[in-house]
């Protein structure tokens, strides 16, 4: 752990500059607006250790895979989110000395992520040669109102001298990804323009796929309140354009730089119109002005918080943690563009290639279901529906037939782009998460039309895959599934992973339910789908039913637990208490061979299945399995603690639930896994939200109705959250005495609190004490 950030309810605050923390801070202080993101890099020069990162949604590079490409079925490339051209540069030479926080003295450094209003602020004093001191204050934001813009106000004051300040504002496409092979650069210049002294544009294209990005900048300089019009010199070189001017600043005067940036891509504009569109955006930004745009940003974020905030009283660390998680989720994905999805690091780093994983369906969807208009989570499902043909092609590449679909483990455009065989070919449980997301969305929203129009087609295609993926074992007289990797990636190439078999069986069962429903309620649509897919409903459903009734599930009768996979008990059985503190995390201290031979579990596996399908299991079954697997789980996946916390809450293990919550809520802020420098764990942040709403709040949907069975952690005095549910806005507030539910907007609703049914009218409220 590395606890260097100040606790605050609405802000992330770093006091004092320590270069050793800088990469971690660059991740934590990232900004985004759903369309793009920017790591917390400095505007001025910084020659120290840094990971430059500006990312634009949907822009990627198909880097030729170097693993297994000669083997049938391997993907041809590994998709990488690109470090896009850099727009933030504001560089200073002060009396001939570069303002560089790695080279000069730094005092009174404070970096603040204002989550309430959606901007990043820094203040510091820099000590230059000759003991010349400048005071600096910067504010930066990526607008969620004008979502193709970034804006900076940079204030600098010489405190004990007067001098010449040479300021250069630039746009730079001469950059690279840190994970580039052989220091390869992925961008070529297309054109650059300098239509006015204070304006410039730069267009670059990717060396593959010909994505285009155009950056534009406009700027103004002020000395105190006086607008300056200095002589401006253009600086041009390949993939770079800058504008340089020199102004004399008297001691105590404030030089203010306003930089307006337009960041546009060919995903949203014709390639030959990008420069024109950037100019138009710059005109609009300059006309509005920085202060108005900053005010609009604050208003827009206020609305986001009205819909998604969680309030915690009595535990500042917990309050800061959940708001940081919610903030990152809201600035990563807005649902306005169904072509975009959510990478595990969001817009905060390069790791995992910025691609889409099963994290979206299993973890992120519930957050957007509860905090957004239904169109937002619906677009997450449509993203997968529109990739269905690619999923069928992915399965064909592995030898599957008849329209069977295997969704990719990692993707940008529906094609598989992951090149580790034990994951690419074996971690097929991701198919089940996509099927479960359809069920989860419809269960929550009541939008059965989605099933009729899109969902059933996906379900049939996935169920066709499961039928072909199992085989009948003569010795067992059961269907088995061989050579898989479950969610727990510390087990590879196992047979009969319990979770994978479970989600396969459930998917086929749910598909048959969906077939019955659609065929009865929308027979014409059903017949069109049958014709389109060449679907033989009697033959194929009989095959599915046969598999469901005879699928093998490893089980230990002595302990009364489901075995993670066949042979799990052959491993030496240890618990995390048998490990020395210096051995964790295992993935940074043990060899991979040792990890694979151990009983230790990276993340929830059996418990993932019990969480998804908890209504199928009684409380004692869940308890036995939790008590067996939790002590063997090292939680070295960020996706793990939330599932355990939700189940612990259900079981009444309140202290365990709280400790797991705090771990996931502050995973990045306190750097539990010593890896936040690579980027924040954005998809697991949705799991943190689920821990409070589903864990502590006990929220469930049963028979289309809301149920709450909340408790309050001992460390808290009160907590509350708001959820959207079928056109209503419901608030739950819990304190030491009991719980209150408010119907803040929408028509009357019947719901359950502590098992008791209530009728809640519009603008009405109910309350109940905690059960004795």
């Amino acid at each position: 752990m590395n606890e260097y950030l100040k606790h605050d309810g609405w802000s992330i605050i770093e006091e004092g500059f320590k270069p050793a923390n800088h990469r971690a801070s660059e991740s934590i202080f990232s900004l985004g607006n759903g369309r793009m993101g920017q790591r917390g890099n400095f505007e001025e020069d910084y020659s120290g250790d840094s990971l430059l990162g500006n990312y634009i949604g949907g822009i990627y590079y198909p880097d030729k895979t170097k693993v297994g490409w000669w083997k049938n079925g391997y993907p041809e490339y590994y998709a990488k989110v690109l470090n896009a051209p850099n727009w933030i540069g504001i560089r200073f030479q002060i009396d001939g000395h570069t303002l560089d926080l790695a080279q000069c003295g730094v005092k009174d450094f404070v970096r603040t992520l204002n989550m309430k209003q959606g901007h990043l602020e820094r203040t510091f004093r820099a000590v230059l040669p000759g003991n010349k001191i400048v005071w600096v204050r910067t504010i930066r934001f990526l607008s969620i109102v004008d979502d193709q813009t970034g804006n900076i106000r940079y204030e600098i004051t010489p405190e004990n001298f007067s001098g010449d300040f040479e300021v250069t504002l630039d746009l730079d496409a001469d950059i690279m990804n840190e994970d580039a092979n052989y220091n390869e650069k992925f961008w070529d210049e297309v054109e650059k323009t300098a239509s006015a002294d204070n304006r410039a544009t730069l267009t670059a294209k990717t060396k593959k796929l010909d994505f285009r990005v155009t950056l534009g900048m406009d700027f103004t300089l002020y000395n105190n309140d006086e607008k300056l019009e200095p002589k401006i010199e253009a600086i041009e070189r390949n993939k770079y354009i800058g504008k340089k001017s020199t102004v004399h600043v008297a001691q105590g005067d404030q030089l203010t730089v306003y930089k307006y940036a337009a960041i546009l891509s060919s995903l949203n504009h014709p390639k030959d119109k990008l420069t024109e569109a950037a100019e138009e955006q710059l005109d609009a930004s300059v006309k509005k002005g920085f202060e108005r745009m900053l005010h609009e940003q604050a208003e827009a974020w206020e609305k986001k918080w009205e819909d998604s905030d969680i309030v915690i009283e009595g535990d500042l660390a917990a309050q800061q943690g959940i708001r940081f998680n919610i903030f990152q989720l809201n600035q990563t994905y807005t649902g306005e563009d169904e072509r975009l999805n959510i990478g595990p690091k969001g817009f905060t780093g390069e790791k995992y290639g910025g691609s889409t994983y099963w994290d979206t369906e299993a973890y992120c969807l519930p957050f957007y279901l509860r905090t957004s208009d239904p169109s937002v989570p619906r677009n997450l499902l449509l993203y997968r529906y529109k990739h269905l043909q690619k999923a069928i092609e992915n399965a064909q590449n592995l030898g599957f037939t008849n329209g069977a679909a295997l969704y990719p483990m990692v993707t940008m455009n529906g094609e598989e782009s992951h090149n580790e065989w034990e994951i690419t070919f074996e971690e097929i449980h991701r198919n089940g998460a996509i099927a479960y997301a359809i069920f989860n969305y419809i269960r929550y929203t009541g939008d059965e039309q989605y099933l009729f129009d899109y969902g059933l087609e996906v379900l049939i295609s996935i169920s066709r895959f499961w039928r072909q993926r199992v085989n009948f074992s003569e010795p067992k007289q059961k269907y088995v599934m061989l050579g898989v990797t479950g969610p727990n990636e510390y087990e590879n190439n196992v047979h009969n992973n319990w979770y994978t078999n479970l989600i396969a069986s459930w998917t086929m069962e749910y598909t048959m339910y969906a077939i019955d429903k659609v065929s009865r309620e929308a027979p014409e649509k059903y017949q069109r789908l049958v014709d389109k897919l060449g679907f033989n409903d009697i033959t194929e459903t009989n095959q599915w039913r046969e598999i469901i009734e005879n699928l093998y599930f490893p089980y230990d009768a002595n302990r009364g637990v489901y075995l993670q996979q066949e042979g799990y008990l052959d491993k030496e059985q240890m618990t995390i208490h048998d490990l020395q503190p210096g051995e964790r995390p295992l993935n940074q201290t043990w060899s991979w061979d040792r990890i694979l031979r151990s009983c230790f579990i990276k993340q929830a596996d059996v418990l993932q299945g019990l969480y998804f399908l908890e209504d199928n299991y009684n409380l004692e079954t869940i308890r036995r399995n939790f008590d067996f697997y939790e002590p063997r789980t090292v939680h070295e996946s960020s996706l793990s603690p939330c599932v355990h916390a939700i189940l612990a809450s259900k079981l009444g293990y309140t202290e365990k639930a709280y400790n797991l919550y705090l771990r996931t809520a502050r995973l990045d802020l306190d750097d539990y896994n010593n890896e936040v420098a690579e980027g924040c764990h954005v998809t697991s942040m949705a799991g943190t939200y689920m821990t409070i709403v589903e864990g502590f709040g006990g929220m469930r949907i049963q028979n289309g109705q809301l149920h709450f069975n909340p408790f309050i952690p001992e460390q808290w005095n009160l907590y509350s959250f708001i959820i959207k549910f079928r056109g209503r806005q419901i608030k739950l507030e819990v304190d030491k005495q009991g719980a209150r539910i408010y119907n803040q907007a929408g028509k009357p609703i019947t719901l359950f609190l502590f098992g008791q049914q209530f009728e809640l009218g519009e603008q009405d409220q109910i309350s109940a004490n905690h059960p004795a």
Side-chain angles (χ1 to χ4, degrees):
M1 291 175 62
N2 184 17
E3 299 177 81
Y4 69 95
L5 300 170
K6 181 179 178 180
H7 290 180
D8 184 273
W10 277 108
S11 296
I12 310 300
I13 303 170
E14 176 185 9
E15 295 181 333
F17 182 58
K18 295 182 179 179
N21 293 332
H22 183 55
R23 275 205 180 211
S25 291
E26 287 181 322
S27 297
I28 290 167
F29 290 89
S30 295
L31 296 173
N33 65 4
R35 193 178 295 282
M36 58 189 170
Q38 171 69 53
R39 280 174 62 84
N41 310 117
F42 294 159
E43 290 88 356
E44 65 274 356
D45 287 287
Y46 184 72
S47 58
D49 185 34
S50 174
L51 175 59
L52 186 67
N54 172 37
Y55 311 106
I56 299 175
I59 303 296
Y60 67 97
Y61 188 83
D63 202 16
K64 181 70 175 179
T65 182
K66 294 188 178 298
V67 181
W69 59 267
W70 61 91
K71 296 178 180 177
N72 288 338
Y74 262 90
E76 295 181 358
Y77 66 90
Y78 180 74
K80 291 180 176 178
V81 61
L82 285 189
N83 182 4
N86 183 28
W87 63 274
I88 67 171
I90 303 177
R91 311 177 195 284
F92 290 90
Q93 290 281 320
I94 302 172
D95 286 344
H97 299 290
T98 302
L99 179 59
D100 179 346
L101 270 61
Q103 301 297 324
C104 61
V106 181
K107 301 192 302 183
D108 305 323
F109 181 95
V110 180
R111 179 163 25 188
T112 303
L113 182 63
N114 185 324
M115 299 183 291
K116 190 171 187 178
Q117 297 180 336
H119 67 255
L120 173 62
E121 180 174 353
R122 277 187 307 143
T123 58
F124 62 89
R125 284 181 168 84
V127 183
L128 300 167
N131 198 37
K132 295 178 179 180
I133 299 173
V134 293
W135 178 86
V136 174
R137 178 174 181 245
T138 73
I139 292 181
R140 179 166 84 217
F141 65 96
L142 287 171
S143 175
I144 58 174
V145 177
D146 302 298
D147 63 5
Q148 296 180 112
T149 70
N151 304 280
I152 302 169
R153 184 176 69 206
Y154 198 109
E155 303 167 1
I156 184 166
T157 300
E159 292 193 331
N160 62 350
F161 71 102
S162 300
D164 291 330
F165 283 60
E166 180 186 279
V167 55
T168 302
L169 295 94
D170 59 24
L171 306 171
D172 188 2
D174 191 21
I175 52 174
M176 60 182 288
N177 276 48
E178 189 172 59
D179 65 354
N181 295 311
Y182 314 114
N183 295 322
E184 180 183 9
K185 294 183 178 180
F186 300 131
W187 295 94
D188 284 330
E189 180 182 318
V190 176
E191 65 175 357
K192 50 181 173 275
T193 68
S195 58
D197 281 349
N198 58 346
R199 182 169 292 192
T201 68
L202 173 66
T203 300
K205 67 176 182 179
T206 57
K207 291 183 177 180
K208 293 181 181 178
L209 303 183
D210 195 30
F211 289 117
R212 305 282 177 101
V213 167
T214 294
L215 301 183
M217 70 173 180
D218 200 308
F219 64 93
T220 54
L221 306 179
Y222 284 83
N223 186 10
N224 295 328
D225 295 326
E226 178 186 355
K227 184 177 180 180
L228 302 176
E229 296 184 2
K231 181 180 178 181
I232 296 175
E233 175 188 350
I235 306 170
E236 298 188 25
R237 56 179 181 263
N238 186 38
K239 297 190 281 188
Y240 176 94
I241 187 167
K243 294 296 186 76
K244 181 173 68 175
S245 57
T246 300
V247 297
H248 186 79
V249 185
Q251 179 178 343
D253 282 354
Q254 178 177 289
L255 174 64
T256 302
V257 182
Y258 291 100
K259 184 175 185 180
Y260 304 95
I263 304 114
L264 286 70
S265 83
S266 55
L267 266 66
N268 305 302
H269 300 274
K271 292 175 182 176
D272 62 347
K273 300 292 185 183
L274 275 167
T275 299
E276 178 183 339
E279 294 272 7
E280 292 174 355
Q281 181 61 70
L282 290 171
D283 288 340
S285 295
V286 172
K287 182 177 180 180
K288 274 190 178 183
F290 184 90
E291 299 304 329
R292 178 180 168 189
M293 295 183 77
L294 184 63
H295 178 71
E296 290 177 350
Q297 176 84 343
E299 288 184 329
W301 269 102
E302 182 180 8
K303 179 63 172 68
K304 282 187 176 291
W305 286 114
E306 285 175 359
D307 293 339
S308 58
D309 189 24
I310 291 178
V311 175
I312 298 172
E313 294 183 5
D315 189 340
L316 195 56
Q319 176 68 88
Q320 183 184 44
I322 190 60
R323 283 197 174 129
F324 178 67
N325 285 248
I326 294 169
F327 177 76
Q328 289 289 356
L329 287 163
N330 276 328
Q331 69 173 3
T332 298
Y333 184 77
T334 62
E336 295 175 7
D337 189 339
E338 66 191 37
R339 299 169 299 174
L340 302 181
N341 208 278
I342 306 161
K345 298 293 184 184
F347 292 124
T348 71
E350 298 175 11
K351 192 175 181 182
Y352 302 115
S355 303
T356 300
Y357 284 64
W358 69 290
D359 306 21
T360 293
E361 286 75 25
Y363 296 89
C364 296
L365 181 73
F367 171 78
Y368 297 103
L369 279 173
R370 290 154 177 75
T371 63
S372 307
D373 183 87
S375 63
V376 174
R378 200 173 199 266
N379 274 346
L380 288 175
L381 299 186
L382 285 172
Y383 177 89
R384 294 294 194 178
Y385 175 77
K386 292 189 174 183
H387 288 172
L388 177 57
Q389 185 55 43
K390 291 287 188 182
I392 292 170
E393 292 171 9
N394 291 335
Q396 289 173 343
N397 290 338
L398 302 183
F400 294 86
T401 61
N402 192 37
L406 175 60
Y407 277 91
M409 185 65 184
V410 174
T411 192
M412 284 289 192
N413 65 356
E415 295 175 338
E416 178 64 75
S417 61
H418 195 284
N419 55 11
E420 296 177 49
W421 65 269
E422 69 274 18
I423 292 176
T424 307
F425 305 142
E426 296 197 339
E427 203 163 332
I428 54 177
H429 66 83
R430 71 239 190 190
N431 250 10
I434 291 165
Y436 185 84
I438 295 170
F439 159 77
N440 205 15
Y441 167 80
I442 295 170
R443 170 178 64 169
Y444 194 86
T445 65
D447 179 14
E448 294 183 340
Q449 193 63 41
Y450 184 84
L451 185 67
F452 301 158
D453 294 341
Y454 307 106
L456 180 55
E457 185 175 352
V458 173
L459 291 169
I460 289 174
S461 302
I462 291 175
S463 291
R464 284 173 159 177
F465 171 84
W466 290 128
R467 184 191 69 77
Q468 296 177 47
R469 189 57 174 77
V470 302
N471 63 276
F472 190 76
S473 165
E474 288 292 340
K476 287 185 171 65
Q477 288 294 296
K478 292 281 187 180
Y479 286 94
V480 296
M481 199 177 310
L482 308 178
V484 302
T485 298
N488 170 35
E489 293 170 342
Y490 286 179
E491 299 276 8
N492 296 158
N493 198 33
V494 301
H495 299 331
N496 295 307
N497 172 259
W498 186 84
Y499 171 76
T500 306
N501 285 13
L502 176 72
I503 204 67
S505 175
W506 175 86
T507 300
M508 290 184 284
E509 187 172 3
Y510 180 58
T511 304
M512 289 191 292
Y513 160 83
I515 287 169
D516 178 68
K517 184 175 186 64
V518 177
S519 64
R520 286 186 293 103
E521 299 182 18
E524 293 182 359
K525 285 189 175 183
Y526 178 69
Q527 188 57 51
R528 285 196 298 270
L529 184 58
V530 166
D531 294 341
K532 176 182 178 180
L533 301 180
F535 180 62
N536 188 318
D537 54 358
I538 295 176
T539 301
E540 295 194 51
T541 56
N542 283 342
Q543 293 171 339
W544 299 343
R545 192 172 289 108
E546 166 74 11
I547 293 167
I548 292 168
E549 293 172 356
N550 295 283
L551 189 58
Y552 177 70
F553 290 93
Y555 181 74
D556 179 53
N558 291 331
R559 294 176 174 83
V561 299
Y562 303 111
L563 293 183
Q564 183 165 279
Q565 71 268 341
E566 214 172 336
Y568 179 74
L569 290 179
D570 291 338
K571 294 170 176 283
E572 180 184 4
Q573 293 300 309
M574 303 169 64
T575 72
I576 56 176
H577 302 293
D578 298 314
L579 295 170
Q580 297 299 315
E583 293 183 276
R584 299 181 67 183
L586 299 184
N587 58 25
Q588 297 177 25
T589 61
W590 282 17
S591 71
W592 191 242
D593 169 73
R594 187 180 180 187
I595 289 173
L596 292 177
R597 288 186 287 106
S598 79
C599 71
F600 292 113
I601 298 167
K602 178 184 179 185
Q603 72 183 84
D605 197 311
V606 169
L607 299 185
Q608 183 78 42
L610 294 177
Y611 162 65
F612 270 172
L613 303 176
E614 66 175 2
D615 290 344
N616 296 345
Y617 303 94
N618 62 41
L619 196 64
E620 285 311 306
T621 297
I622 297 173
R623 187 185 307 278
R624 285 195 304 272
N625 282 274
F626 185 94
D627 290 348
F628 180 74
Y629 284 110
E630 165 60 23
R632 291 162 171 78
T633 304
V634 291
H635 297 299
E636 289 175 12
S637 166
S638 64
L639 301 175
S640 184
C642 62
V643 172
H644 286 246
I646 293 168
L647 292 178
S649 299
K650 181 182 180 72
L651 295 170
Y653 299 161
T654 55
E655 189 63 23
K656 169 68 75 174
Y658 173 78
N659 289 334
L660 287 166
Y661 160 77
L662 207 59
R663 177 184 177 118
T664 186
R666 299 193 63 85
L667 177 67
D668 293 317
L669 294 179
D670 295 338
D671 202 5
Y672 273 85
N673 290 345
N674 191 32
E675 59 185 13
V676 73
E678 300 170 334
C680 296
H681 296 81
V682 171
T683 51
S684 78
M685 291 176 174
T688 307
Y689 175 89
M690 290 157 51
T691 298
I692 293 183
V693 174
E694 297 182 18
F696 303 165
M699 195 222 80
R700 298 293 190 275
I701 306 297
Q702 295 176 355
N703 299 319
Q705 294 180 309
L706 276 174
H707 289 246
F708 295 95
N709 189 32
F711 77 94
I712 185 166
E714 182 180 344
Q715 296 83 350
W716 298 359
N717 298 325
L718 177 147
Y719 70 92
S720 67
F721 59 79
I722 295 168
I723 63 168
K724 295 178 181 296
F725 180 71
R726 301 190 181 186
R728 305 171 180 93
Q729 184 162 294
I730 305 296
K731 179 180 179 180
L732 174 71
E733 184 177 85
V734 185
D735 59 20
K736 300 293 189 183
Q737 286 70 48
R740 293 164 295 283
I741 299 179
Y742 306 84
N743 184 3
Q744 294 184 325
K747 59 187 179 182
I749 184 173
T750 300
L751 49 72
F752 294 79
L753 176 60
F754 298 125
Q756 182 179 352
Q757 181 173 319
F758 290 91
E759 303 294 329
L760 191 60
E762 185 176 359
Q763 300 294 323
D764 200 0
Q765 70 178 72
I766 57 167
S767 62
N769 292 330
H770 292 292

